Amino acid sequence: WWKKRNDEYDARNALRNEPMVVLDGKETSAKIRQELALKVKELKAQGRKVPHLAAILVGEDGASRTYVNAKVRDCEEVGFGSTLIKLPAETTEAELLKAIGKLNHDEDIDGYIVQLPLPKHIDETKILLAVDPRKDVDGFHPQNVGKMTLNLPTYIPATPQGIVELLRRYEVPTEGKNCVVIGRSNIVGSPMSILLSQHNYPGNCTVTLCHSRTRDLEEICRNADIIVAALGRPGFVTADMVKEGACVIDVGITRIDDSSKKSGFRLLGDVDFDAVAPKCSFITPVPGGVGPMTRAALMMNTMKVTELED
Ligand code: NAD
């Protein structure tokens, strides 16, 4: 249905003479999974080990459970091995560290993730530091963050990597562009700003990293060729903040109760899509944009296990 939406916006944009393109994360991620499935077949044909991804889920958080289940499904589709370790919400930090130690030493497990957020009584940093950097497919360990910053081969956090992959596949121009990233979290905003300023494509942007203490954010956004909104405030980016022809990447996912939906909720992005899209050259929808690309990027990272080992 994005195709239909694309056509509608193209029609509206005919006056601008520059069609707007919806960056379709759903379609692109399906293509990536197909490509990875082919690579798995090749690995098998060569008699090599197929990557095996494990995930640790602590507690019963609904969104986390959905995300982890989706990751396991993706592994199955691609042909990776997968193991889901579910631990109760009252798991102690010591118990979780023990489970991590086991995965670090398990030769069958090539990579694993600890689904965030963790229950409040567990120190997230302590946990991330305990993950063997060679198995850290989320790319959160300081050693991997350091390598990413130096543009060395490593695991890159899934959301920024998924965005970069989307930009690459749609050949979105980035060189010399003004890019504004809103949000400076360790998992999205901060790595995104690093990747887009790197000396390669997609990169070579002039990046401004904005956050809750930024002054004149609207004005800064109006000067942006590319906006990456990753703050978690539905509809934050409005049409008056966006320059004509900009590329807008909406990372935000906020669950809003909606009894008309089978799931009981709907997802809202950080961008006022309907008002902003007609001004854009490229835009990601929510859902169907960055979310599926994040999942695909985790699968790409898991496949990287075979390359980084070589
Ligand atoms: P976070 O809460 O860790 O960070 C939010 C950032 O936004 C902070 O750096 C804060 O300074 C900034 N911020 C908050 N209010 C602001 C304001 N008014 N103006 C400017 N900056 C402001 O969030 P996160 O983990 O980076 O996630 C951000 C959003 O992206 C959330 O909605 C989350 O659900 C979503 N997310 C989506 C994916 C995906 O796959 N699509 C992945 C991760 C996170």
Side-chain angles (χ1 to χ4, degrees):
W1 63 283
W2 283 113
K3 293 253 174 309
K4 189 170 162 268
R5 199 146 188 183
N6 248 341
D7 291 345
E8 281 169 19
Y9 280 108
D10 281 357
R12 274 213 241 162
N13 278 318
L15 286 175
R16 273 204 316 131
N17 223 0
E18 269 177 38
M20 181 274 295
V21 174
V22 172
L23 301 172
D24 189 333
K26 201 170 166 204
E27 192 180 273
T28 309
S29 65
K31 209 157 161 242
I32 292 171
R33 286 196 300 278
Q34 277 173 11
E35 291 165 9
L36 290 172
L38 274 178
K39 280 195 186 167
V40 167
K41 276 192 184 153
E42 277 171 28
L43 286 176
K44 281 185 178 162
Q46 293 162 1
R48 295 177 62 190
K49 185 180 182 303
V50 169
H52 188 144
L53 176 73
I56 303 184
L57 174 65
V58 186
E60 286 297 321
D61 179 73
S64 293
R65 215 173 37 211
T66 310
Y67 293 146
V68 167
N69 287 338
K71 290 167 189 176
V72 170
R73 270 202 315 278
D74 288 344
C75 282
E76 283 164 7
E77 186 182 332
V78 164
F80 293 159
S82 68
T83 298
L84 175 55
I85 300 163
K86 281 187 186 169
L87 300 174
E90 45 301 346
T91 302
T92 64
E93 194 175 275
E95 285 166 338
L96 181 54
L97 286 169
K98 205 170 159 197
I100 285 175
K102 255 173 112 178
L103 288 178
N104 285 345
H105 291 105
D106 187 334
E107 284 187 4
D108 189 40
I109 304 291
D110 301 290
Y112 67 93
I113 59 155
V114 181
Q115 184 65 43
L116 301 178
L118 290 168
K120 296 239 173 327
H121 64 275
I122 297 178
D123 181 347
E124 228 161 72
T125 308
K126 222 172 177 176
I127 299 302
L128 296 182
L129 284 171
V131 175
D132 181 339
R134 288 168 304 181
K135 296 192 176 190
D136 170 40
V137 283
D138 258 340
F140 294 161
H141 191 283
Q143 197 168 309
N144 290 325
V145 177
K147 284 185 178 176
M148 176 194 67
T149 307
L150 296 175
N151 209 356
L152 297 171
T154 190
Y155 304 114
I156 294 170
T159 303
Q161 201 201 346
I163 294 170
V164 162
E165 192 60 26
L166 199 58
L167 296 174
R168 191 196 325 271
R169 289 186 181 236
Y170 277 88
E171 298 178 353
V172 175
T174 60
E175 180 153 332
K177 302 291 182 191
N178 285 336
C179 174
V180 170
V181 178
I182 314 174
R184 59 176 161 186
S185 73
N186 291 340
I187 62 167
V188 188
S190 168
M192 195 69 244
S193 70
I194 291 167
L195 294 176
L196 285 174
S197 59
Q198 266 169 355
H199 194 170
N200 49 23
Y201 177 78
N204 284 317
C205 292
T206 306
V207 180
T208 307
L209 182 57
C210 297
H211 44 78
S212 50
R213 309 287 172 92
T214 298
R215 280 192 215 157
D216 302 327
L217 185 116
E218 277 97 356
E219 195 51 40
I220 294 170
C221 285
R222 275 193 278 276
N223 194 31
D225 302 302
I226 300 172
I227 296 177
V228 180
L231 68 161
R233 300 206 169 194
F236 182 87
V237 176
T238 49
D240 60 317
M241 291 162 71
V242 176
K243 151 170 131 177
E244 283 287 333
C247 168
V248 176
I249 306 292
D250 190 351
V251 185
I253 300 180
T254 305
R255 280 185 179 211
I256 301 285
D257 288 341
D258 185 344
S259 54
S260 71
K261 300 269 177 198
K262 213 169 93 189
S263 59
F265 62 84
R266 69 196 151 97
L267 301 180
L268 293 183
D270 287 346
V271 176
D272 179 359
F273 184 94
D274 287 332
V276 168
K279 295 182 88 172
C280 293
S281 54
F282 299 92
I283 188 166
T284 61
V286 175
V290 175
M293 287 306 294
T294 297
R295 282 169 53 184
L298 177 65
M299 296 299 114
M300 287 164 69
N301 267 346
T302 306
M303 181 56 92
K304 253 194 205 172
V305 162
T306 56
E307 296 157 21
L308 293 177
E309 266 174 4
D310 286 346

